[in-house]
Amino acid sequence: MRLYLSSYRLGASAARLKKLLRGARRAAVIQNALDFIPVEARHSYEANIYDPKAELDDWGIEAEELDLRRYFGKPDALEKALAVFDLVWAVGGNAFLLRRAMRESGFDRILPELLRADAIVYGGFSAGAVVAAPSLDGINIMDDPRQLAPGYDESVIWDGLGLVDFSIVPHYRSAHDEAEAAEKTVGFFEEARMPFQPLRDGEVIIVEGRNVTLLPVLPEAMRRSA
């Protein structure tokens, strides 16, 4: 199993993502965590502020969007679509909405099989990293579990993908709007005595097989040689 879980965007260790890909370079970008935002606003943000596909392309990874809504109730079609990709990259937004999309499309059943076969890398940031945990308990401090978008089932899904055996708290003590909520979420996990890993923006968790590594923020000059 190969995972690249980041607090914010690609983080400060994108060169390690390329190593995880072992020369492969096709990525499916899942942005369903943002489906509660109007399409026009999302397109404007991509054009003027940040486009995850362009960020991956800067690292030599060819990326295209894979909208899980197109596969709601069509897991066989999704499995076929995923077969051509080397990386799945799930962006931030609302973790509960993303989790719904993964359940309704069958992604949450297909992905573990691909990971066990070492056929793909799963990566993501913020919500895309959070859903890798066993549970979304506590994440409701940061994200609204009731956040919906057209075409979604309103039921809240509290279980995560279970790709790691701890919860993840992004934006911890970072210059991010959710830093205060992240601090409260850490307090929740500490009080509940649940295993968790806080991530500052720039930090990344790498999983290769049974090895789990936390990569700190590197100086700029070292990033592309890491």
Side-chain angles (χ1 to χ4, degrees), residues 8-19:
Y8 189 60
R9 300 180 181 176
L10 283 182
S13 302
R16 286 293 299 272
L17 175 59
K18 290 196 69 175
K19 288 184 178 180

Side-chain angles (χ1 to χ4, degrees), residues 4 6-15 17 50 52 55-59 61 87 89 125 202-204:
Y4 184 94
S6 173
S7 177
Y8 189 60
R9 300 180 181 176
L10 283 182
S13 302
L17 175 59
Y50 172 69
E55 184 181 33
L56 288 165
D57 186 66
D58 286 344
W59 285 90
I61 302 169
L87 166 69
W89 182 251
F125 70 88
E203 292 184 330
V204 173

Side-chain angles (χ1 to χ4, degrees), residues 109-141:
R109 297 187 298 276
I110 297 166
L111 177 66
E113 295 177 1
L114 293 173
L115 290 172
R116 281 193 293 269
D118 203 26
I120 206 165
V121 176
Y122 177 80
F125 70 88
S126 194
V130 163
V131 295
S135 170
L136 298 186
D137 285 347
I139 300 303
N140 53 300
I141 297 171

Side-chain angles (χ1 to χ4, degrees), residues 102-113:
M102 290 178 167
R103 170 67 58 83
E104 294 187 45
S105 63
F107 180 86
D108 59 357
R109 297 187 298 276
I110 297 166
L111 177 66
E113 295 177 1

Side-chain angles (χ1 to χ4, degrees), residues 157-173:
I157 301 171
W158 289 97
D159 60 302
L161 298 177
L163 304 180
V164 294
D165 58 6
F166 52 86
S167 294
I168 296 171
V169 184
H171 315 308
Y172 179 64
R173 297 186 178 175

